[in-house]
Every structure is written in C-alpha cells, then in structure tokens.
Amino acid sequence: MAKAAQANARTFTQKARRAQIIEAAIETLAEAGYAKATFSRISQQAELCSTGLISYHFSGKPELLREAARTIVAQAESVAGSRIGTERTYRGKLNAYIAASFEFVVRYPVHTRALTEIVAMIRDRRITGLDEVEHTLMSVDRLASLLERGRRAGEFGTFDSLAMALAIRGAIDNVLCHHFRTAEVDLNHCARELTTMFDRCTRPA
C-alpha cells in the first residue's frame, strides 16, 4: 500500500524520468551484463548529466534493477495477454501462448537479453526482492491451468496438465537458449513448428 501510494504521488515529470532511467538500465544490462551495469554506465546510456539523478529517483542498484525486471515482465505479459485474450478456444489460447513467447523475443530483443541477465541474477541469488518476478518467470501454473480447463472442456486429450506444461515451456526455452547462443535460429519458423507439434500432442484421441 505504501509503495502504491508513493508511486501515485509522483509527478508526471518524476514518472517520465524514472521510466527513462529504467529503460537505460535495461539497455545497459543487455549490453554489458549485471556486473558492469553501474550507475555511471546507466547514466551515460540515459544521457544524464550525473549519477545523482539516478540516486535521487532510486535508493540503489537493487531497486533500479528490480524495477527494470518488473517493467520487462509487464511487457511480456502484455504481449501474451493481448494474443491469448483474443482467442475463444483453449486450443487457440495454447497456440497463442507459444506464439507470444517468440513474438516478445522478436519484438524486444534488447529487453529479452536483459531478462536473461535478470534470470541469472535470480538463479545466483545476486539480487533479492524479486519473488513475484521469479514466480512469473519460473512458474508454469497458469499454462497448466489453461491445459486443465481445456481438458475439462473436451478440447484436449488425456494427459497430465503439469507435465505437459513443463514440456511446452521447456521446448520454448530450449529454442530460445539455442537462439541466444548461435543467433542462427529462425524464431518464426520454430514458433510455427512448436505450435503445430503441441497442437498434435494435445488433441483428443
């Protein structure tokens, strides 16, 4: 409640400056990685006159990077939500979920690289206070729930919803990992292939 009240009390100019700094932090994370994402470097990226402006708006590097993580996750949720929300069937929603995972990487490559740094930070416990972000990134609960509701509606076949959700998420993440390592993966092609593959896997017998 206190944080929400504090956020609402900020002026338009303060919100714009914070957004500018957060965007610069995301770009710096993607370009230089967590260890080199210093206030000095972020300040240069944001074209600020000094690092003091960052210190004025954020209590420290952890708070700034937490806000960067939340911003990226919100963007990813928006991309997925807009695609899934327009589908009326559970089969359509599953296809939209897979397509949206690749669409975000194609549309926001810098944010995706920054997100991989954030995931590494969470995994290595180099930053705290990101429990809700970690849950969003690591959890397949919502996908498993979608599959379960689709099974009950008769749109999917018989399978364990959690196991299928883990298989789908694992396939997507493996393709993306390969893409980041080699940069030779046609993401649009892979999105179509995985969509077709899991559409077949989940059909009723």
Side-chain angles (χ1 to χ4, degrees):
M1 291 290 288
K3 285 186 177 180
Q6 191 179 24
N8 291 332
R10 294 186 184 113
T11 66
F12 176 81
T13 302
Q14 287 173 324
K15 290 177 181 176
R17 180 66 81 188
R18 282 175 64 90
Q20 176 193 9
I21 294 169
I22 289 169
E23 193 61 30
I26 291 170
E27 292 167 357
T28 306
L29 264 178
E31 181 182 319
Y34 171 77
K36 295 180 180 176
T38 62
F39 270 17
S40 176
R41 196 154 183 164
I42 294 168
S43 175
Q44 290 175 8
Q45 187 71 29
E47 299 183 345
L48 302 176
C49 56
S50 77
T51 59
L53 270 173
I54 302 178
S55 300
Y56 175 79
H57 289 281
F58 299 91
S59 61
K61 185 174 173 180
E63 185 197 357
L64 174 54
L65 296 187
R66 281 195 291 272
E67 291 302 316
R70 292 185 181 113
T71 298
I72 298 171
V73 168
Q75 280 180 320
E77 296 265 284
S78 174
V79 169
S82 63
R83 265 190 176 255
I84 295 170
T86 58
E87 297 291 339
R88 295 190 174 183
T89 67
Y90 290 106
R91 303 200 69 77
K93 290 180 185 297
L94 174 59
N95 293 341
Y97 173 87
I98 296 171
S101 298
F102 289 94
E103 181 186 343
F104 181 78
V105 176
V106 172
R107 284 177 58 183
Y108 301 100
V110 172
H111 290 65
T112 303
R113 286 200 299 275
L115 190 59
T116 60
E117 279 293 316
I118 291 166
V119 169
M121 288 155 47
I122 294 172
R123 182 190 62 213
D124 299 340
R125 300 298 171 193
R126 286 182 285 172
I127 187 169
T128 58
L130 280 175
D131 292 348
E132 82 280 15
V133 172
E134 181 178 9
H135 180 75
T136 301
L137 293 175
M138 310 298 181
S139 173
V140 294
D141 290 350
R142 279 190 287 184
L143 177 56
S145 174
L146 186 157
L147 292 168
E148 187 60 30
R149 284 179 281 136
R151 280 191 348 96
R152 291 176 183 171
E155 293 187 30
F156 296 130
T158 302
F159 52 76
D160 183 277
S161 297
L162 177 59
M164 183 63 77
L166 288 168
I168 294 169
R169 192 64 246 175
I172 295 170
D173 290 344
N174 272 321
V175 171
L176 296 180
C177 282
H178 191 67
H179 167 70
F180 292 130
R181 286 174 184 160
T182 68
E184 294 176 352
V185 177
D186 183 339
L187 292 179
N188 291 322
H189 172 74
C190 288
R192 289 192 297 272
E193 285 294 309
L194 288 188
T195 299
T196 302
M197 187 185 308
F198 282 107
D199 186 66
R200 288 174 181 162
C201 288
T202 54
R203 281 183 182 278

